[in-house]
Amino acid sequence: RAFAAGLRPLLQARRLSALLLQFPFTFRDGADARERLRRLRDAFREFPLVVEVRHRSWAEADATAFLRAEEFSVANLDYPTSSDSFREPQAATGEPGYLRLHGRNAAEWFTRGAGRDARYDYLYDYDELDEIADRIGALSTRFRELVVVTNNHYRGQALANLAELAARAGGGERALPATLIGTYPRLAAVARPAGPQAAAGMRDAGLPGTTGSRRTTGAGRGGRGGQGSSRGSGEQRDLFDG
């Protein structure tokens, strides 16, 4: 209850699109799993909930019907997969739409004992970004709002790829940390080094198919880069509007 109360001001101010409930591959459809999801839905009834599942059992018609009835949106994923992975290209059970890009580092993803940084150490190339942009366009026709999150966070790759995706939507040049551009020189084609007025240069980063204005965020901690996100809404917003 305290956690929900702390989030409520963000929801009321329309600064929170959804809460993400992320589960591992071992979380499979079944009576116990469904009961756990029902309890979470009851605890956060007022919030839009996105559930990230990774086992293919959740793609079965009965499981999809359950998630839709309980008003869960299912996260669409870009990540290394196996034959038993959840691999729906356009999952649509509720609002908002959600696409999460984890990278495609299959060698580390399936390595037992690989650390978090190793699994998410991946920079999407140009062809892959074009493919993802097409997927975003297709998904955006199925939702009123689509949230896109880049989670290939190691060494700021999430922010780098998010800027490149935004540029594909005609978002124009934006300001990025000079150290990030120095690490990934190809960003010079879509960005300029951030200066004292960097806030103005990072406004309105957009992705294809979303409506209204967009907000793009990304953050770094220490030697790691944070995940980035872009959302479309019917209201004018940007990263620095308080």
Side-chain angles (χ1 to χ4, degrees):
R1 291 181 180 179
F3 182 68
L7 292 174
R8 194 168 293 119
L10 293 175
L11 183 67
Q12 294 170 343
R14 301 183 66 185
R15 303 293 296 180
L16 179 67
S17 288
L19 299 181
L20 176 68
L21 310 176
Q22 180 180 328
F23 293 95
F25 175 80
T26 52
F27 186 73
R28 306 183 182 192
D29 181 34
D32 290 343
R34 293 191 185 192
E35 180 57 28
R36 184 175 181 183
L37 288 174
R38 287 192 187 97
R39 292 199 303 269
L40 287 166
R41 167 46 73 198
D42 289 342
F44 298 98
R45 179 62 60 180
E46 65 193 289
F47 295 91
L49 296 181
V50 176
V51 59
E52 178 176 332
V53 289
R54 299 183 179 181
H55 190 267
R56 68 176 184 178
S57 59
W58 293 102
E60 298 295 329
D62 185 59
T64 300
F66 163 77
L67 294 169
R68 183 176 291 110
E70 294 294 330
E71 299 181 345
F72 286 104
S73 179
V74 177
N76 290 271
L77 303 174
D78 188 276
Y79 68 138
T81 60
S82 68
S83 59
D84 288 327
S85 297
F86 182 84
R87 294 188 288 180
E88 293 300 295
Q90 294 187 36
T93 60
E95 291 284 346
Y98 201 97
L99 174 62
R100 199 168 191 215
L101 312 176
H102 290 299
R104 300 179 180 180
N105 191 349
E108 295 295 342
W109 191 270
F110 296 109
T111 298
R112 185 181 298 274
R116 180 196 64 180
D117 289 347
R119 285 195 174 96
Y120 296 101
D121 183 6
Y122 192 83
L123 185 70
Y124 287 96
D125 65 29
Y126 290 140
D127 289 341
E128 291 169 332
L129 291 173
D130 288 341
E131 174 191 330
I132 291 167
D134 289 342
R135 187 179 181 188
I136 291 170
L139 284 169
S140 68
T141 66
R142 308 193 67 178
F143 301 98
R144 293 189 300 272
E145 178 182 8
L146 177 64
V147 179
V148 179
V149 176
T150 49
N151 193 42
N152 51 327
H153 49 71
Y154 185 65
R155 299 183 71 237
Q157 292 169 118
L159 182 55
N161 280 152
L162 188 67
E164 292 175 316
L165 280 171
R168 280 163 170 72
E173 187 182 71
R174 66 205 66 255
L176 292 176
T179 52
L180 187 69
I181 298 175
T183 302
Y184 306 109
R186 75 189 204 193
L187 287 176
V190 299
R192 65 181 183 278
Q197 304 302 320
M202 295 184 69
R203 293 180 183 275
D204 297 331
L207 291 171
T210 52
T211 59
S213 297
R214 287 87 175 181
R215 182 180 67 182
T216 301
T217 64
R221 295 183 180 179
R224 305 182 182 93
Q227 66 182 15
S229 70
S230 179
R231 57 173 289 186
S233 70
E235 180 181 352
Q236 180 76 21
R237 299 187 185 186
D238 61 52
L239 180 59
F240 299 95
D241 64 3

